[in-house]
Amino acid sequence: MNGFLKLNSATTSQDGTTSLSISFVDCTVDPANDKDVDYTPTSSATVPVRPGAQVQIVQLDNNLQTVAADWLVDHQVVSTPYFYYQDDAQHQITALQEIYHP
């Protein structure tokens, strides 16, 4: 994965492209308590999601579920709005995995 982001919102355009309004964040974890995590925003952007991108969200039972990117438009994630992300040379999101925080 390339880094971390906070999902602010998601929209789908008329041509079916899903775009995410995000904040790129730095992540700091307290070594004495790995549940103490601090996210610091570094910049904001609206980025497209590549068709067929793998999007994994945390379910209520803490297992990951793979969903289509447009799922994010009408649903709210269970754990946090923070994700690991991967993008391509065109800055399109190619993979997202929600970060689980107990």
Side-chain angles (χ1 to χ4, degrees):
M1 295 292 183
N2 294 30
F4 306 99
L5 62 80
K6 177 184 178 196
L7 176 64
N8 299 320
S9 65
T11 58
T12 301
S13 64
Q14 289 182 356
D15 69 0
T17 302
T18 300
S19 293
L20 307 178
S21 171
I22 62 166
S23 298
F24 293 102
V25 295
D26 286 333
C27 178
T28 307
V29 179
D30 181 351
N33 178 3
D34 65 355
K35 294 180 184 179
D36 184 9
V37 180
D38 184 43
Y39 293 100
T40 305
T42 59
S43 63
S44 296
T46 299
V47 295
V49 179
R50 175 178 247 162
Q54 183 175 7
V55 177
Q56 294 183 311
I57 52 110
V58 177
Q59 297 178 304
L60 289 174
D61 62 4
N62 300 330
N63 289 316
L64 290 174
Q65 174 185 0
T66 301
V67 298
D70 63 354
W71 182 94
L72 297 169
V73 174
D74 296 321
H75 296 86
Q76 194 165 20
V77 293
V78 174
S79 182
T80 70
Y82 296 100
F83 288 81
Y84 302 105
Y85 77 92
Q86 183 173 0
D87 61 355
D88 61 15
Q90 291 79 38
H91 303 290
Q92 293 182 343
I93 299 292
T94 58
L96 285 173
Q97 182 178 345
E98 185 182 1
I99 300 171
Y100 169 72
H101 287 292

